[in-house]
Amino acid sequence: MKKNKIIFWVATGLLCVLFFSGAMMYIFNYSRAEDFFISLGFPTWIIYPLAILKILGAIAILTKKSNFLKELAYAGFLFDAVLALAAHIMVSDGEYAPAIIALVLLTISWIYDRKAYGNYFQNLTSQ
């Protein structure tokens, strides 16, 4: 059990640092983020809302106050990473490594959350 919690917290910490640092880059280096978004064909108006959602998602996963919000954050991070990976592959810019790392960390975090702390949905259906 202790090993599962350690794996969960390491993967989750790294995942949240990855998404939080991306959000900080969006906020504090907007021109660079804008260039990335334009090169990927995404609208630039989504940069600030995406940054805010990345910060809120990291908080939801780390605090574990609401299982619904935590699962929503995991889903949002999954969509973000999959779409980022697909976009980088489509434009062939070679910048897909962070998306792959995010997907690996996300998978480990999600699996070990269940191993270390139990499955919320299983507990809900057994009541």
Side-chain angles (χ1 to χ4, degrees), residues 6-125:
I6 291 170
I7 293 170
F8 166 76
W9 282 110
V10 169
T12 303
L14 292 172
L15 175 72
C16 290
V17 165
L18 181 67
F19 277 95
F20 188 79
S21 64
M24 291 299 103
M25 190 269 293
Y26 291 176
I27 292 169
F28 294 113
N29 197 353
Y30 182 84
S31 61
R32 183 173 179 212
E34 186 177 43
D35 292 342
F36 280 140
F37 275 65
I38 290 170
S39 72
L40 294 172
F42 292 132
T44 56
W45 62 264
I46 200 162
I47 294 172
Y48 286 132
L50 187 58
I52 292 167
L53 289 172
K54 285 183 177 193
I55 293 167
L56 293 175
I59 291 169
I61 290 173
L62 289 172
T63 61
K64 299 165 86 56
K65 292 288 183 191
S66 166
N67 283 320
F68 175 74
L69 290 177
K70 180 185 71 171
E71 293 298 323
L72 194 61
Y74 275 125
F77 283 174
L78 177 67
F79 296 144
D80 183 75
V82 167
L83 293 173
L85 178 61
H88 286 292
I89 288 172
M90 293 299 291
V91 299
S92 301
D93 65 359
E95 296 289 331
Y96 49 81
I100 292 172
I101 292 168
L103 287 170
V104 169
L105 291 172
L106 182 65
T107 303
I108 294 169
S109 174
W110 189 81
I111 288 170
Y112 278 89
D113 181 37
R114 274 123 194 88
K115 286 186 177 186
Y117 297 102
N119 186 344
Y120 167 71
F121 296 107
Q122 183 181 25
N123 293 341
L124 219 129
T125 57

